[in-house]
Amino acid sequence: MQRQSGWRSKSKEDIKEIYGFAEGYKSFLDEAKTEREAVRSITRTLEEEGFGMDFSGDRVFAVNRGKEVMAFVRGSVDISEGLNIVVAHIDAPRLDLKQNPLYEDIDLALLRTHYYGGIKKYQWVAVPLAIHGVVVKSDGESVDICIGEKDDDPVFLIDDLLPHLSRKTQDEKKLGDAIDGEKLVVLFGSLPLTGAEKEPVKQYVLKMLGDAYGMTEDDLISAELEVVPAFKARDVGMDRSMVGGYGQDDRVSAYTLLKGLCGVKDPRRHCLAIFTDKEEIGSEGSTSIRSAFLHVFLDDVLSGMGIKADEALMRKVLFRSKALSADVNGAVDPTYQEVHEKQNACYLGRGPCITKFTGHMGKIGASDANAEYVAEITRLFDGSGIMWQTGELGKIDEGGGGTVAKHLAVYGMEIIDCGAPILVMHSPYELSSKLDIFETYRAFQAFFKA
Ligand code: MN
Ligand code: MN
């Protein structure tokens, strides 16, 4: 276990390799700001790495409704011995446009949003924002939209009150109440449409949407448009040792998992990588880890191997599986150290954090990994020369959180949380350590190769 900065034992050559790995990671963060974009980026890499959708192959993948991916590498042992599974999530906190979002007021066109996941609302005002997503028209045609990422694109903004006038409305309130969810309204335009009598500014942006995407206002009802930060991932620090970027919870796990899996050739045990959706809202819904997609995918895997996939076999495969729930943990915050119990907390730069249990208020809602399995995983990491640490999420009763671990633990498989520590979690600009990103990748690969 790493009890001091891992950087202290890295050579110049190591640091070069670690920094090189982070370059690919930053590109991934920039092109995968939504779950659908993450799916496109992940499947493109999988195809480049010889994965296909024909289940008779050794390296296969499938996509669930454009928002979730499962990828499998065939091993040599009998599949009834179970799988090695690593699961990460590719959704991130954001603001979704409401289904009837657009209105005009005081000569401005505005969009109403409904936030997704646990955000601190005050962090989303007064920062440049982009709109990403899909509009599915009534005839079924779907149009991808991405505005605010190219250098010459416009960006969007949620306004905030000037300090001169915010005393009663904001400053005297509790931080969590200062910004009302209904006030997370996106500024969308201000030019009036010539000749329009009613709502000319709204008519103007609607005309632009019609010209650019062939869509009408009613098409927004069947759209999934996500408002995300418009900034790109960047190196942080004089020494460039950290990465700042949106959506690192949990795309740091998704990227390291993808790279880890792609490097696995002819493993002993069968390997399954899951890139799931809807973790940030409690793993509910048809693209979450709790949907039947896992069974549907494994049905196809088994038939691809010429095995009849009956329910008893499926139960056995899942029961005997070993899994890592690949999700981030909150690193000790340099300026708010008091929320952590520092003897049982994770730190930036000491490698992925193994978290035996999550949950809140006395482990409620936790999947508490078995001690035997904790020992197995730490032995594996030690044997593979991987830097790792262990920690809980914050002090007892300070708050808490959960991951998808408990949803896979119900099958009876061994599962433990393991992922990079990050700072400023769930904010528009999260922070990770390049060393942790690299060691997490090595950890997932070692797990698959075990
Ligand atoms: Mn997460
Ligand atoms: Mn999260």
Side-chain angles (χ1 to χ4, degrees):
M1 185 177 125
Q2 200 64 31
R3 294 179 192 274
Q4 60 172 22
S5 168
W7 290 114
R8 297 176 68 165
S9 40
K10 293 291 186 190
S11 69
K12 268 202 174 119
E13 291 71 47
D14 293 339
I15 291 174
K16 205 175 158 203
E17 190 182 8
I18 290 167
Y19 280 30
F21 189 82
E23 291 304 304
Y25 173 57
K26 283 184 288 175
S27 304
F28 177 73
L29 287 181
D30 290 343
E31 69 178 37
K33 286 193 178 180
T34 68
E35 61 282 19
R36 287 175 190 266
E37 290 170 355
V39 164
R40 285 198 285 269
S41 175
I42 288 165
T43 53
R44 199 189 60 232
T45 300
L46 288 172
E47 280 167 350
E48 286 164 7
E49 295 286 338
F51 286 77
M53 297 178 95
D54 171 2
F55 279 82
S56 62
D58 290 344
R59 292 158 84 80
V60 297
F61 74 94
V63 174
N64 178 17
R65 294 175 173 84
K67 299 178 185 176
E68 184 182 28
V69 186
M70 293 198 187
F72 178 84
V73 177
R74 212 181 269 189
S76 54
V77 298
D78 194 310
I79 197 157
S80 67
E81 288 186 27
L83 318 167
N84 281 10
I85 303 172
V86 184
V87 52
H89 66 91
I90 51 176
D91 61 320
R94 60 178 190 252
L95 309 175
D96 287 338
L97 290 195
K98 288 190 181 186
Q99 294 332 113
N100 189 16
L102 183 60
Y103 69 101
E104 175 173 339
D105 198 9
I106 59 159
D107 305 329
L108 296 167
L110 299 136
L111 295 168
R112 296 188 192 278
T113 67
H114 194 138
Y115 66 97
Y116 172 98
I119 63 163
K120 293 167 91 170
K121 299 183 193 85
Y122 71 85
Q123 293 177 335
W124 291 75
V125 299
V127 291
L129 299 166
I131 297 178
H132 294 224
V134 64
V135 178
V136 183
K137 300 185 205 168
S138 51
D139 63 3
E141 189 203 343
S142 91
V143 183
D144 290 318
I145 289 180
C146 179
I147 311 167
E149 295 296 339
K150 294 196 211 90
D151 284 343
D152 58 349
D153 270 359
V155 293
F156 306 95
L157 182 74
I158 294 173
D159 92 281
D160 195 8
L161 206 45
L162 62 172
H164 317 64
L165 296 179
S166 65
R167 192 164 60 88
K168 286 198 199 118
T169 314
Q170 292 180 332
D171 304 356
E172 288 171 2
K173 288 184 179 165
K174 282 195 253 165
L175 188 61
D177 300 333
I179 309 257
D180 190 273
E182 295 292 356
K183 292 203 189 293
L184 293 174
V185 166
V186 176
L187 282 169
F188 199 51
S190 67
L191 272 190
L193 182 69
T194 315
E197 290 284 307
K198 226 177 117 232
E199 301 182 317
V201 181
K202 177 177 161 179
Q203 294 309 322
Y204 191 92
V205 290
L206 277 174
K207 183 174 182 309
M208 287 191 76
L209 290 174
D211 292 346
Y213 306 106
M215 60 178 284
T216 64
E217 184 176 10
D218 280 355
D219 290 331
L220 290 168
I221 295 167
S222 48
E224 288 177 352
L225 293 171
E226 305 179 10
V227 180
V228 296
F231 14 79
K232 290 195 174 357
R234 302 275 292 265
D235 289 342
V236 174
M238 273 301 287
D239 52 13
R240 299 180 172 265
S241 58
M242 298 166 279
V243 172
Y246 165 69
Q248 299 197 65
D249 171 9
D250 184 34
R251 294 181 195 129
V252 65
S253 305
Y255 184 75
T256 50
L257 168 56
L258 176 66
K259 289 290 169 181
L261 182 77
C262 286
V264 172
K265 304 267 151 64
D266 305 318
R268 196 177 64 82
R269 283 170 65 86
H270 303 274
C271 299
L272 173 63
I274 304 175
F275 305 87
T276 194
D277 180 32
K278 297 286 184 280
E279 191 277 342
E280 293 293 358
I281 57 166
S283 294
E284 307 287 352
S286 59
T287 54
S288 77
I289 193 66
R290 290 160 86 181
S291 89
F293 185 50
L294 176 61
H295 290 95
V296 170
F297 181 76
L298 289 179
D299 274 342
D300 287 342
V301 164
L302 288 166
S303 17
M305 298 167 84
I307 300 166
K308 196 179 165 299
D310 61 39
E311 268 187 42
L313 175 62
M314 187 69 84
R315 267 199 300 274
K316 197 173 283 179
V317 168
L318 290 170
F319 189 86
R320 291 179 176 169
S321 287
K322 298 174 180 183
L324 296 179
S325 166
D327 209 341
V328 297
N329 200 324
V332 171
D333 189 305
T335 44
Y336 296 94
Q337 297 186 23
E338 62 272 23
V339 303
H340 306 277
E341 187 272 281
K342 285 157 69 185
Q343 194 174 318
N344 287 280
C346 59
Y347 297 78
L348 279 187
R350 298 185 187 181
C353 178
I354 293 174
T355 305
K356 187 174 181 292
F357 56 87
T358 56
H360 65 278
M361 313 270 292
K363 302 194 178 184
I364 287 169
S367 163
D368 196 349
N370 299 308
E372 292 83 352
Y373 189 55
V374 182
E376 184 178 332
I377 295 301
T378 57
R379 191 162 59 237
L380 169 71
F381 289 177
D382 283 337
S384 311
I386 287 155
M387 290 178 179
W388 60 272
Q389 56 184 324
T390 184
E392 296 182 20
L393 179 60
K395 268 185 186 165
I396 293 170
D397 298 344
E398 193 73 48
T403 66
V404 300
K406 62 179 177 184
H407 304 304
L408 286 180
V410 295
Y411 295 110
M413 68 178 69
E414 297 280 14
I415 187 163
I416 189 166
D417 280 287
C418 175
I422 65 170
L423 282 178
V424 235
M425 197 192 291
H426 283 206
S427 79
Y429 217 59
E430 300 174 320
L431 187 97
S432 61
S433 157
K434 288 185 180 176
L435 180 138
D436 299 331
I437 300 163
F438 188 68
E439 294 294 321
T440 302
Y441 149 71
R442 293 183 61 230
F444 294 159
Q445 188 156 81
F447 177 76
F448 282 135
K449 287 181 174 172

